[in-house]
Amino acid sequence: MIATCHSALPASGSEGAPEWVHLVPSGTFKGVDGRGPYRVADPAAVIAASMQAERLPLDENHATDKAMSTGIPSPARGWIVEMQARPDGIWGRVEWNDAGRALMAQKAYRGISPVFTHDKSGTVLKVLRAALTNTPNLDQLETLHSTGQTPEMNIASVRQALGLPETADEAACLAAISANATAVATHSAQVAEMVPVAQVTALQAQLNNLLATQAQEKAVTFVDAAIQAGKPIAAVRDQMVAMHVRDAASAEALINGMPSIHAGGVPRKSAHDTDGMDEMMSAEDMAVCQKMGLDPKAFRENRKKMREGAAA
């Protein structure tokens, strides 16, 4: 994939054509128009891949790219013949031609727009060319007219950005900027001391597992106690446990509303009990089966087994 981005900073008023131009910022960056993020993972590899062409064109407003589809002229105003990796990114040494030097002397353009290839993750692979531009998009790059000196401060704009009164002079603006920088540095240090994201994720996973285990244990305890109390749910014990884990309140309301097979618990089988009684189904029993979707025959057999087990 190919991307174009533009550099822009207020011109410092320097004269002449710069020998070196800032092509790509260091680290991760994003265009003002939202494109990106892009990142330079290996500056040396990017430079090696880019300089295989030996000379990269520096044109006006991406004339080279537009000429591919329109056929318009796309003369170079200079040639990038060397690249360097610096702390703030990749720079290119330009051999300007007469037309390019004239444009620089006239301060006709204020920025550089690099054209580079990148992979799906946004990692920059190769610089193809660059263009002179007045439509900046990358504000991380040095301006064409920068001399390395501090540019003249636009006091009105700085006052507005810092929320200072119109009476604030340059010294006041610089003091406010320094204070903001200190605050940002302090905040960054505090963030750096926070627990790493990976550790937070691991702790959250442990907490989720603990809560799930507790919910399972609570469900098993309640359901088994209900079965011991004579609730006709032994045949669907696992389903009742799962229901309780999902929604404890609803499961308990349902089970507590069921009639007990033996009021007061599961008593020993007496001499008055008969197999015929085991097979009898009351209206309440039928309502429970219908509500839980149980087979009445399975319900009777399960109740009989419970009684036989209690009498053993």
Side-chain angles (χ1 to χ4, degrees):
M1 288 175 278
I2 299 177
T4 62
C5 291
H6 315 284
S7 65
L9 287 176
S12 66
S14 61
E15 301 294 338
E19 181 180 9
W20 290 87
V21 296
H22 199 180
L23 294 173
V24 185
S26 61
T28 301
F29 58 95
K30 193 173 184 179
V32 174
D33 64 358
R35 282 181 293 170
Y38 306 109
R39 70 186 187 97
V40 178
D42 188 344
V46 173
I47 291 174
S50 303
M51 294 313 300
Q52 287 180 354
E54 297 183 355
R55 297 166 64 87
L56 308 181
L58 178 60
D59 59 28
E60 294 181 73
N61 294 315
H62 298 291
T64 301
D65 295 277
K66 295 176 182 177
M68 293 179 183
S69 59
T70 64
I72 62 174
S74 57
R77 302 312 185 191
W79 297 90
I80 300 169
V81 296
E82 182 183 353
M83 289 186 183
Q84 285 184 0
R86 301 182 183 180
D88 57 353
I90 297 175
W91 288 67
R93 184 169 68 85
V94 181
E95 286 187 355
W96 298 94
N97 56 28
D98 292 342
R101 282 191 292 270
L103 290 171
M104 292 298 96
Q106 298 165 10
K107 299 180 184 178
Y109 291 96
R110 69 188 184 103
I112 286 286
S113 172
V115 180
F116 54 83
T117 61
H118 61 88
D119 61 18
K120 292 183 178 180
S121 70
T123 300
V124 177
L125 303 176
K126 180 180 181 180
V127 177
L128 302 177
R129 51 195 161 270
L132 301 173
T133 183
N134 281 321
T135 55
N137 190 32
L138 281 185
D139 54 8
Q140 301 93 335
L141 303 183
E142 291 286 344
T143 176
L144 285 171
H145 305 298
S146 175
T147 61
Q149 300 175 350
T150 302
E152 182 179 353
M153 180 183 293
N154 185 328
I155 296 296
S157 298
V158 173
R159 288 192 194 109
Q160 184 178 4
L162 295 174
L164 298 176
E166 294 182 1
T167 55
D169 58 11
E170 182 173 333
C173 292
L174 291 175
I177 292 172
S178 177
N180 286 341
T182 300
V184 170
T186 301
H187 177 70
S188 298
Q190 293 172 345
V191 171
E193 293 175 358
M194 294 174 65
V195 179
V197 174
Q199 187 173 347
V200 173
T201 302
L203 290 173
Q204 185 63 51
Q206 293 177 13
L207 176 60
N208 292 341
N209 290 336
L210 177 61
L211 293 176
T213 299
Q214 291 177 342
Q216 180 75 15
E217 291 176 350
K218 182 179 178 181
V220 169
T221 299
F222 179 84
V223 171
D224 286 348
I227 293 174
Q228 183 65 25
K231 300 296 184 178
I233 57 174
V236 289
R237 175 183 179 277
D238 292 343
Q239 293 92 319
M240 290 294 101
V241 169
M243 179 186 296
H244 194 285
V245 169
R246 291 193 303 270
D247 187 347
S250 297
E252 291 182 8
L254 172 65
I255 294 173
N256 288 334
M258 295 178 181
S260 173
I261 295 175
H262 302 290
V266 183
R268 292 286 182 177
K269 187 174 182 181
S270 68
H272 299 289
D273 292 327
T274 66
D275 290 343
M277 290 179 63
D278 285 331
E279 295 178 0
M280 292 175 61
M281 290 287 290
S282 67
E284 291 180 337
D285 292 337
M286 293 300 296
V288 169
C289 291
Q290 183 176 7
K291 190 171 185 179
M292 296 183 60
L294 300 177
D295 178 25
K297 182 178 179 181
F299 180 90
R300 291 197 305 271
E301 291 177 353
N302 177 64
R303 182 171 60 182
K304 184 177 180 180
K305 290 179 181 179
M306 289 178 63
R307 287 181 173 177
E308 290 174 350

